[in-house]
Short mmCIF file of all heavy atoms in Angstrom, two decimals:
data_model
loop_
_atom_site.label_atom_id
_atom_site.label_comp_id
_atom_site.label_asym_id
_atom_site.label_seq_id
_atom_site.Cartn_x
_atom_site.Cartn_y
_atom_site.Cartn_z
N LEU B 245 -8.34 29.47 -0.66
CA LEU B 245 -7.28 29.73 0.32
C LEU B 245 -7.53 31.06 1.01
O LEU B 245 -7.45 31.17 2.25
CB LEU B 245 -5.93 29.76 -0.41
CG LEU B 245 -4.68 29.56 0.44
CD1 LEU B 245 -4.70 28.18 1.07
CD2 LEU B 245 -3.44 29.72 -0.43
N THR B 263 -12.48 44.11 18.90
CA THR B 263 -12.34 43.93 17.46
C THR B 263 -13.51 43.14 16.85
O THR B 263 -13.56 42.96 15.64
CB THR B 263 -11.03 43.18 17.13
OG1 THR B 263 -11.03 41.96 17.88
CG2 THR B 263 -9.82 44.00 17.50
N SER B 266 -15.67 44.04 13.48
CA SER B 266 -15.02 43.95 12.17
C SER B 266 -14.75 42.50 11.79
O SER B 266 -14.57 42.19 10.61
CB SER B 266 -13.70 44.72 12.18
OG SER B 266 -12.78 44.09 13.06
N LEU B 287 -16.92 25.57 -15.51
CA LEU B 287 -16.03 25.36 -16.67
C LEU B 287 -15.45 23.96 -16.70
O LEU B 287 -14.83 23.57 -17.69
CB LEU B 287 -14.90 26.39 -16.63
CG LEU B 287 -15.36 27.85 -16.73
CD1 LEU B 287 -14.19 28.79 -16.49
CD2 LEU B 287 -15.98 28.10 -18.09
N GLY B 319 -33.62 37.34 9.14
CA GLY B 319 -32.55 37.61 10.09
C GLY B 319 -32.50 39.07 10.49
O GLY B 319 -32.23 39.41 11.64
N SER B 320 -32.78 39.98 9.54
CA SER B 320 -32.71 41.41 9.90
C SER B 320 -34.00 41.89 10.53
O SER B 320 -34.01 42.93 11.18
CB SER B 320 -32.35 42.26 8.68
OG SER B 320 -32.81 41.70 7.49
N ALA B 322 -36.03 39.85 12.64
CA ALA B 322 -36.32 39.19 13.92
C ALA B 322 -35.91 40.07 15.09
O ALA B 322 -34.93 40.81 15.02
CB ALA B 322 -35.58 37.85 13.99
N MET B 330 -33.18 31.96 15.94
CA MET B 330 -32.70 32.21 14.58
C MET B 330 -31.43 31.39 14.32
O MET B 330 -31.29 30.74 13.27
CB MET B 330 -32.38 33.69 14.38
CG MET B 330 -33.46 34.57 13.77
SD MET B 330 -34.37 33.84 12.44
CE MET B 330 -33.31 34.15 11.05
N ALA B 342 -25.41 20.04 4.37
CA ALA B 342 -24.35 19.02 4.41
C ALA B 342 -24.94 17.64 4.15
O ALA B 342 -24.37 16.83 3.41
CB ALA B 342 -23.64 19.06 5.75
N ALA B 344 -27.66 16.97 2.46
CA ALA B 344 -28.08 16.88 1.06
C ALA B 344 -26.88 16.57 0.16
O ALA B 344 -26.97 15.74 -0.76
CB ALA B 344 -28.73 18.19 0.62
N ILE B 348 -26.31 13.28 -2.34
CA ILE B 348 -25.90 13.27 -3.75
C ILE B 348 -24.69 12.37 -3.95
O ILE B 348 -24.63 11.56 -4.88
CB ILE B 348 -25.60 14.70 -4.22
CG1 ILE B 348 -26.88 15.53 -4.24
CG2 ILE B 348 -24.97 14.69 -5.62
CD1 ILE B 348 -26.67 16.96 -4.68
N GLY B 352 -24.76 8.96 -6.02
CA GLY B 352 -23.89 8.88 -7.19
C GLY B 352 -22.97 7.68 -7.15
O GLY B 352 -22.44 7.26 -8.18
N GLY B 376 -32.38 17.98 15.00
CA GLY B 376 -32.18 18.44 16.37
C GLY B 376 -32.30 19.95 16.48
O GLY B 376 -32.94 20.47 17.41
N GLN B 398 -33.89 6.68 27.60
CA GLN B 398 -32.48 6.51 27.23
C GLN B 398 -32.28 5.23 26.43
O GLN B 398 -31.51 5.18 25.48
CB GLN B 398 -31.59 6.47 28.49
CG GLN B 398 -31.69 7.68 29.38
CD GLN B 398 -31.09 8.92 28.75
OE1 GLN B 398 -30.81 8.95 27.55
NE2 GLN B 398 -30.91 9.96 29.55
N SER B 440 -31.55 8.75 10.83
CA SER B 440 -30.68 9.78 11.40
C SER B 440 -31.50 10.98 11.85
O SER B 440 -31.28 11.53 12.94
CB SER B 440 -29.63 10.22 10.38
OG SER B 440 -28.93 9.13 9.86
N VAL B 459 -27.35 23.21 23.78
CA VAL B 459 -27.69 22.21 22.77
C VAL B 459 -27.44 22.76 21.36
O VAL B 459 -26.91 22.07 20.50
CB VAL B 459 -29.16 21.77 22.94
CG1 VAL B 459 -29.58 20.86 21.82
CG2 VAL B 459 -29.35 21.09 24.28
N MET B 484 -13.29 21.71 4.14
CA MET B 484 -12.64 20.91 5.18
C MET B 484 -12.13 21.80 6.30
O MET B 484 -12.34 21.53 7.49
CB MET B 484 -11.48 20.10 4.58
CG MET B 484 -11.92 18.96 3.70
SD MET B 484 -10.56 18.27 2.75
CE MET B 484 -9.58 17.53 4.04
N ALA B 502 -21.22 25.28 29.07
CA ALA B 502 -21.64 24.34 30.11
C ALA B 502 -20.95 24.69 31.43
O ALA B 502 -21.56 24.65 32.50
CB ALA B 502 -21.29 22.92 29.70
N PRO B 521 -33.13 23.18 37.18
CA PRO B 521 -31.87 22.53 37.52
C PRO B 521 -31.63 22.53 39.03
O PRO B 521 -31.36 23.55 39.62
CB PRO B 521 -30.82 23.37 36.78
CG PRO B 521 -31.50 24.59 36.32
CD PRO B 521 -32.96 24.43 36.49
N HIS B 523 -29.78 19.82 40.40
CA HIS B 523 -28.86 18.71 40.56
C HIS B 523 -27.79 19.04 41.58
O HIS B 523 -27.18 20.10 41.53
CB HIS B 523 -28.21 18.41 39.21
CG HIS B 523 -27.38 17.19 39.20
ND1 HIS B 523 -27.91 15.93 39.34
CD2 HIS B 523 -26.05 17.02 39.08
CE1 HIS B 523 -26.94 15.05 39.29
NE2 HIS B 523 -25.81 15.68 39.14
#
Side-chain angles (χ1 to χ4, degrees):
Chain B
L245 200 62
T263 55
S266 67
L287 298 172
S320 31
M330 265 320 276
I348 293 180
Q398 302 291 13
S440 307
V459 174
M484 289 168 68
H523 187 68

